[in-house]
Amino acid sequence: MFLAQQTSGGGSPILLLLLLGMPVMLFVMMRSQRKKAAKQQDLQKSAGIGSEIMTTAGIFGTIVDEDEDEGTIVLEIAPGTQIKLIRGAIARVVSEDDDDGEEYDDEEDDDDAVVDLVDADQDTAAADADNAEGPFRP
């Protein structure tokens, strides 16, 4: 009887830790979500006429008009083509620095695709010998 009481009492610190730890963890996660949402709302409010933006649908364009009463913007996505969106559709503001970085990354990827033809001939011969019987082997 004494052993049964001892083992059941050993689990209570773990239970207590779980009961106290869960609310703290939830508070920290909710706080970070609120900060992220506030930052996104500030970004959406700060975008004005002439700002280049990307929408949540992935459409790039320039803000040409805004209606603060309705909470909408008019986005020019091509010369003479305008669409009306709610301000909440702004995912991010595109800057000149973002565009330069993307072009530079694309150029780096092209250099990585260089293949040495001497090694490729040797690899092809080995692959042809393996595939001589076709994809189905007994």
Side-chain angles (χ1 to χ4, degrees):
M1 190 147 218
F2 180 69
L3 291 175
Q5 290 175 354
Q6 227 177 7
T7 57
S8 67
S12 63
I14 294 173
L15 182 63
L16 183 65
L17 181 64
L18 286 174
L19 290 175
L20 293 177
M22 291 298 267
V24 171
M25 189 173 69
L26 287 173
F27 174 76
V28 170
M29 289 188 328
M30 288 172 40
R31 184 174 170 221
S32 67
Q33 288 292 334
R34 279 193 212 131
K35 282 185 178 182
K36 188 183 283 187
K39 184 178 176 182
Q40 183 67 21
Q41 286 179 350
D42 289 343
L43 174 100
Q44 291 169 350
K45 289 178 184 177
S46 69
I49 296 175
S51 299
E52 285 191 45
I53 64 162
M54 182 183 83
T55 67
T56 54
I59 300 171
F60 288 88
T62 305
I63 298 175
V64 293
D65 192 21
E66 60 185 335
D67 186 359
E68 292 182 13
D69 295 334
E70 291 182 19
T72 60
I73 59 170
V74 176
L75 188 68
E76 184 173 32
I77 56 175
T81 306
Q82 297 179 350
I83 56 176
K84 187 174 184 179
L85 302 167
I86 59 171
R87 190 169 279 279
I90 299 172
R92 67 181 177 110
V93 177
V94 180
S95 66
E96 294 297 323
D97 295 336
D98 292 343
D99 292 339
D100 293 340
E102 290 175 7
E103 289 176 13
Y104 184 73
D105 290 340
D106 291 342
E107 291 173 3
E108 283 183 10
D109 294 340
D110 292 338
D111 292 339
D112 294 337
V114 175
V115 177
D116 189 9
L117 295 177
V118 175
D119 292 337
D121 290 339
Q122 293 171 357
D123 292 340
T124 305
D128 289 340
D130 288 341
N131 291 328
E133 298 176 15
F136 303 107
R137 296 184 184 168

